[in-house]
Amino acid sequence: MKLTVTDLGISRGGIPVLEGLNFTLEPGRALVLRGPNGVGKTTLLRTVAGLQPPIGGTVDCPPETIAYAAHSDGLKAMLSVVENLRFWSEIFGTRDIAPALAAFELEPLADRPAGALSAGQKRRLGLARLLVTGRPIWILDEPTVSLDVASVEMFANAVRTHLAGDGMALIATHIDLGLVAEIFDVGPFRAKPRESADGFDENFL
């Protein structure tokens, strides 16, 4: 199983932003997306994850193999750290949350309500959810936001372990995570401006 993107075109707010995207993600590999802010990296990740339709091309990958982590941590504030992870483990049909707690050093916070965590702790818990999904393809949008240097290394180690087990990771990030990964610059794939028949540029509507 692999993730294959072929001649993909994507839009934001009805306006094409990227087109002609082609890449393949094989088991045990990571692909890091790069490009300036606003170029369409988040839109690309959402499209690959099946959260919005493309305007052209194909994404060849079973949806049930993907775990998507965006800017939101996806936590229930009134539930404890353990209860949050158990909730997600039941959603995805897994049971053992111990590896997720250990990977992000959450054991000392196990009984603390998620709403009482710091921003960095919430982010660690949000990322720990990936480990209880049991899904091989991780799609990650700026996963290190709010993390300190030590927590970034925790995350990088979690990704390395995932890849070592033939998992895959598609990551949009501006920082060097120290991963063995291919870099894919989406900048050259900006969509050409669409003009109406009378020459008026619809991007200004």
Side-chain angles (χ1 to χ4, degrees), residues 107-130:
E107 297 100 330
L109 305 170
D111 297 323
R112 186 175 300 181
L117 299 176
S118 70
Q121 291 167 342
K122 288 177 182 176
R123 192 59 173 168
R124 281 158 52 195
L125 177 55
L127 292 170
R129 292 180 304 149
L130 294 165

Side-chain angles (χ1 to χ4, degrees), residues 47-100:
T47 303
V48 174
L51 299 177
Q52 66 181 67
I55 56 174
T58 60
V59 176
D60 186 7
C61 173
E64 65 274 10
T65 62
I66 291 175
Y68 175 68
H71 298 153
S72 172
D73 295 318
L75 307 177
K76 293 185 176 292
M78 299 304 294
L79 297 183
S80 70
V81 167
V82 164
E83 289 168 338
N84 267 281
L85 287 178
R86 283 178 180 159
F87 171 83
W88 286 107
S89 71
E90 290 171 3
I91 291 291
F92 287 99
T94 60
R95 288 293 178 265
D96 189 7
I97 66 170

Side-chain angles (χ1 to χ4, degrees), residues 7 48 100 103 121 132 150 163 168 175 193:
D7 199 26
V48 174
Q121 291 167 342
V132 304
L163 299 178
M168 292 160 269
I175 71 170

Side-chain angles (χ1 to χ4, degrees), residues 25-26 28-32 159 163 167-171 179-183:
L25 190 56
E26 303 273 358
R29 306 295 296 176
L31 182 65
V32 174
V159 175
L163 299 178
M168 292 160 269
L170 178 62
I171 311 171
L179 300 173
V180 177
E182 182 182 352
I183 305 298

